[in-house]
Amino acid sequence: IQLLSGRDHPWLPKWLRNLSVSRENLKSGIEKIRPWSERLDHALKPRLRILTGEAMTRIIAGVVSLLALLIMPLELVPMAAAVPSLAILLFGISLISKDGLIAVFALVATAAVAFIAIRALIGMG
């Protein structure tokens, strides 16, 4: 919602902004995730930038908001909530890495969500 309104950084409550992590815990965490982050850095790169530009970022923010609203009702269909969650994750990764190819995968997952939601609605009627 904050992206949709044009904010370029997230608003956080003061108590969350004031949280801290010890240097030892931070170093330990970095060492544990370094192999994974290096693999991701190698795989993710700026491409299809039109899909991660400023205008698309707002569109993606709206789509992500709608996907988030669908998660709870889709809990009625076994494992269906995993699909919008995956789409939200992929949209986030695409925006952070400016990788439009990942945004394409997120759009495919969003189409799957629409298909599941429509099938669920038809089945209820």
Side-chain angles (χ1 to χ4, degrees), residues 47-57 60 98 100:
R47 52 190 159 193
L48 298 174
R49 297 214 43 181
I50 193 164
L51 295 177
T52 58
E54 189 174 334
M56 277 303 290
T57 296
I60 288 172
K98 300 291 184 198

Side-chain angles (χ1 to χ4, degrees), residues 27-70:
K27 285 174 83 171
S28 172
I30 289 171
E31 288 172 14
K32 289 178 183 175
I33 65 168
R34 177 161 289 168
W36 291 99
S37 67
E38 287 173 353
R39 288 184 197 128
L40 279 175
D41 281 345
H42 181 69
L44 301 173
K45 55 187 119 232
R47 52 190 159 193
L48 298 174
R49 297 214 43 181
I50 193 164
L51 295 177
T52 58
E54 189 174 334
M56 277 303 290
T57 296
R58 288 192 179 201
I59 292 170
I60 288 172
V63 170
V64 165
S65 298
L66 292 174
L67 288 168
L69 290 172
L70 284 173

